[in-house]
Amino acid sequence: MRSILALTTALLLSSSAFAQQLGWTNIRGYGFAADGQLVQFQQLIIDTDSGKVLARGDAIKYDFPDANWQDGEGKAILPGLIDGHGHILGLGQNLMQVELRGTQSELEAVERVAEFAARHPEQQWIQGRGWNQVLWDNNEFPSTALLDEAVSDRPVWLSRIDGHAGWANSKALELAGITKDTLDPPGGRILRDEQGNPTGVLLNNARQYISAVLPEPNETEVIQALEAAFSELLSLGITSVHDAGIDSGLARLYQRLRTENALPLRIYAMLSARNSDLQDWLDQGMIDDELDLLLIRAVKLYGDGALGSRGAALLADYSDQAEHRGLLVTEPDRLTAQMQATIEAGFQANVHAIGDRANRMVLDRFEQLATKEQLAQGRHRMEHAQIVSPQDIPRFKALHVLPSMQAVHATSDMNMAGDRLGVARLRGAYAWRTFVDQGSPIVGGSDFPVELANPFHGLHASVTRQDQQNQPVGGWLPEQRLTLTEALRSFTRDAAYGAFQEERLGSLAPGMWADFIVLEQDPFAMEPERLWQLEVLQTWLAGNKVFHRE
């Protein structure tokens, strides 16, 4: 149990006899002031005993003559990056499964599955994630046929890139008891052929048929996955994650790892509303931490599905599927009760809502269930807020609801969003500029492992509205672009605000935790089209170096 991460964190938290003041000169430093304005500095000094920033500026070296100063060689230093919506365990498990992101056809995806299965004869189930039929040559959902040819002796279960659909082989369908006669569950759908037979694709709540028969990972496997995720995140400069929708078992494990000083980064955990013992957690009250390594004071609730699988709940029909308006994955009255219990317990309610119908439904409930004081203090959030009716966007500001948005979703979805929504509804889609201009702080993130965890992909998408091939020329819906300062703030100070931590994290200001990253290149002095290529040289947490790129 005492892994290298535990030893690293124990070192990080200790009051070492060798603690000292560390300073850097000749740097291109960036942070934020209390009002959110960008602050630039050439010198930075931290205290490794307290783990806090002592000072930043251009001529502070003479105020700390006994510090250990070093030449930063012109490298850039930014606040540690915060991913405002990710899934840590899912990322770790994904790193140990079949990677289907980037496949260009169903056949290519199946070939990857076959290769993985051949390399891992010990695995009872073959699992993977990342396929996206919108990017395939035929633009159609897959079926069991090719999967069965590749792997027939073991069940196969492959999550779509958005996590709202899954693709199974016949063995998996058999184990789950899914036949022609199986009914669609509320909030879910089993795709079928012309004869009514399951094709192997399950949407939203229908995935629970497979979940019910998937073997549960043991604690050793869970810890291995977490450690893989922690290492990946620190290498990307991510020092804090808002873990969106954890079950009770993972919440208890996080508590134990924190007690054992085995959390190497900061976790702002959202309890899943699907936990059967959610009320017990609410009654227990918020779980705080003086070192800000583990904070549990939020609940992740579930409104609708995702746009790519036509599960996002829309006010009008999908433009490319008549008489279909998506799915509500939580029955409205149940969602109301969950939101009410969360708000009354003083917890933050963070509701997954992608489609305009889901966003309006959740805004209506915030307005009905919470007092003005509860709304002002609660910092409740809409997770994703991708397609919002233009008339509903001002309600976010009026109700103090924060848009928690993932920039890479826009550049991933741009090839199909127009088909799903039509031109008119795009006016309220992925509307970052509109939200920022009205004064709504955006909690930036990636939604890993739905997308890659690399935060520089999100900064690039925010600023250019382009993919990594610089397409489309001029950007997709370019009027919604952010400046680099605004984009960086969404991944630092504004994300910290979304976790009630803006006075301690995200700005690299004196008195705050010394969480920062070192980059070879200055993102403010390079072409925006190259932002996604940035690499982290060092990651520091509370004044201790926790990652160094060789």
Side-chain angles (χ1 to χ4, degrees):
M1 188 70 188
R2 296 284 293 179
S3 67
I4 187 171
L5 293 179
L7 296 175
T8 299
T9 311
L11 189 69
L12 183 155
L13 297 171
S14 65
S15 296
S16 167
F18 300 101
Q20 57 185 327
Q21 296 174 349
L22 294 179
W24 289 263
T25 61
N26 186 24
I27 60 172
R28 296 187 175 191
Y30 298 92
F32 291 97
D35 62 359
Q37 295 300 306
L38 188 71
V39 175
Q40 300 182 47
F41 49 92
Q42 297 176 2
Q43 297 174 0
L44 174 72
I45 186 166
I46 67 173
D47 176 40
T48 59
D49 189 8
S50 67
K52 302 291 182 67
V53 175
L54 291 174
R56 65 186 183 187
D58 296 336
I60 61 172
K61 182 176 180 180
Y62 304 104
D63 298 327
F64 300 91
D66 297 327
N68 179 13
W69 289 92
Q70 52 191 297
D71 187 347
E73 301 177 342
K75 293 181 173 61
I77 287 183
L78 307 179
L81 300 176
I82 301 170
D83 194 307
H85 186 111
H87 309 277
I88 296 176
L89 180 58
L91 172 63
Q93 291 172 332
N94 194 65
L95 291 169
M96 299 157 60
Q97 296 176 353
V98 189
E99 175 58 75
L100 300 177
R101 187 183 281 106
T103 53
Q104 299 298 308
S105 67
E106 179 179 352
L107 178 60
E108 182 183 351
V110 169
E111 288 173 346
R112 290 195 192 181
V113 172
E115 292 170 1
F116 183 90
R119 293 197 310 270
H120 296 279
E122 79 286 355
Q123 292 197 5
Q124 296 179 3
W125 280 68
I126 301 300
Q127 297 186 65
R129 184 168 185 157
W131 59 271
N132 184 357
Q133 85 286 354
V134 174
L135 301 179
W136 290 350
D137 45 15
N138 61 5
N139 200 22
E140 294 179 358
F141 278 114
S143 71
T144 59
L146 291 178
L147 266 189
D148 289 347
E149 291 181 16
V151 183
S152 60
D153 61 328
R154 287 174 283 172
V156 177
W157 178 237
L158 310 169
S159 292
R160 192 182 182 276
I161 191 167
D162 56 19
H164 287 268
W167 172 21
N169 69 349
S170 294
K171 188 71 172 178
L173 294 178
E174 177 187 344
L175 289 173
I178 298 174
T179 68
K180 183 177 182 177
D181 300 322
T182 304
L183 298 177
D184 290 347
R189 184 179 169 206
I190 301 169
L191 296 193
R192 307 171 192 270
D193 61 20
E194 293 179 355
Q195 289 72 44
N197 296 307
T199 64
V201 173
L202 310 178
L203 304 183
N204 292 294
N205 289 357
R207 296 171 299 131
Q208 296 171 9
Y209 288 126
I210 298 290
S211 300
V213 296
L214 273 174
E216 289 290 330
N218 59 41
E219 185 177 280
T220 298
E221 293 170 330
V222 169
I223 291 174
Q224 287 175 343
L226 290 177
E227 291 186 348
F230 293 154
S231 296
E232 174 80 356
L233 293 167
L234 290 172
S235 76
L236 295 170
I238 296 172
T239 55
S240 180
V241 174
H242 300 180
D243 203 348
I246 66 172
D247 64 27
S248 296
L250 184 55
R252 287 188 286 269
L253 179 57
Y254 279 160
Q255 288 180 288
R256 199 175 95 207
L257 293 175
R258 173 65 189 91
T259 300
E260 297 175 357
N261 289 335
L263 287 180
L265 49 69
R266 307 186 190 282
I267 298 175
Y268 181 76
M270 309 178 206
L271 297 163
S272 171
R274 292 169 176 157
N275 288 329
S276 60
D277 58 350
L278 175 62
Q279 191 59 52
D280 293 339
W281 286 98
L282 297 178
D283 293 341
Q284 178 183 343
M286 290 178 278
I287 295 170
D288 208 344
D289 176 10
E290 63 180 6
L291 296 178
D292 291 309
L293 284 166
L294 179 64
L295 183 60
I296 303 178
R297 60 168 301 170
V299 176
K300 166 77 178 298
L301 303 104
Y302 304 88
D304 61 348
L307 186 66
S309 50
R310 298 187 183 87
L314 302 182
L315 292 167
D317 292 355
Y318 274 79
S319 295
D320 57 0
Q321 187 173 343
E323 299 182 1
H324 179 69
R325 299 190 177 188
L327 300 165
L328 297 174
V329 299
T330 304
E331 192 273 330
D333 288 345
R334 180 170 176 78
L335 179 62
T336 301
Q338 292 173 341
M339 290 179 64
Q340 184 171 24
T342 300
I343 293 168
E344 289 181 353
F347 277 61
Q348 182 187 48
N350 300 341
V351 190
H352 169 113
I354 289 182
D356 51 11
R357 177 161 58 110
N359 276 277
R360 179 172 294 178
M361 177 184 72
V362 175
L363 289 170
D364 288 345
R365 279 157 177 73
F366 277 128
E367 189 169 16
Q368 296 159 5
L369 297 174
T371 65
K372 291 184 178 179
E373 183 179 13
Q374 287 173 323
L375 288 170
Q377 295 179 355
R379 301 187 189 181
H380 304 296
R381 293 167 36 171
M382 202 79 79
E383 302 300 316
H384 308 309
Q386 287 181 16
I387 302 106
V388 185
S389 171
Q391 69 189 73
D392 285 329
I393 291 179
R395 299 179 68 197
F396 280 74
K397 176 69 172 176
L399 298 173
H400 303 279
V401 174
L402 302 178
S404 173
M405 306 174 78
Q406 299 75 47
V408 284
H409 282 336
T411 49
S412 292
D413 292 356
M414 64 184 180
N415 57 353
M416 59 82 181
D419 293 337
R420 297 284 190 273
L421 301 172
V423 175
R425 279 183 290 198
L426 289 178
R427 290 188 299 114
Y430 313 90
W432 314 326
R433 166 56 53 205
T434 306
F435 278 113
V436 169
D437 283 350
Q438 74 174 14
S440 292
I442 293 178
V443 179
S446 68
D447 199 12
F448 65 76
V450 173
E451 303 281 358
L452 294 175
N454 192 322
F456 299 107
H457 293 184
L459 292 176
H460 170 264
S462 296
V463 173
T464 67
R465 303 282 293 203
Q466 293 177 320
D467 62 22
Q468 292 165 10
Q469 287 72 48
N470 300 320
Q471 295 298 318
V473 175
W476 182 65
L477 305 178
E479 66 276 8
Q480 294 295 343
R481 284 186 299 226
L482 300 181
T483 67
L484 181 54
T485 295
E486 292 166 339
L488 179 62
R489 193 165 58 217
S490 75
F491 277 92
T492 52
R493 186 183 183 276
D494 288 352
Y497 179 84
F500 306 88
Q501 295 175 316
E502 74 278 6
E503 295 183 359
R504 305 185 299 282
L505 302 178
S507 294
L508 203 54
M512 292 190 175
W513 290 114
D515 297 357
F516 61 93
I517 60 175
V518 180
L519 307 173
E520 183 74 46
Q521 294 178 286
D522 181 352
F524 287 89
M526 63 189 301
E527 301 88 346
E529 293 78 12
R530 294 177 51 239
L531 284 169
W532 66 274
Q533 298 174 333
L534 282 167
E535 284 193 339
V536 173
L537 300 179
Q538 298 175 19
T539 302
W540 291 66
L541 188 86
N544 282 265
K545 185 162 52 178
V546 291
F547 169 76
H548 180 85
R549 188 175 301 279
E550 297 297 336

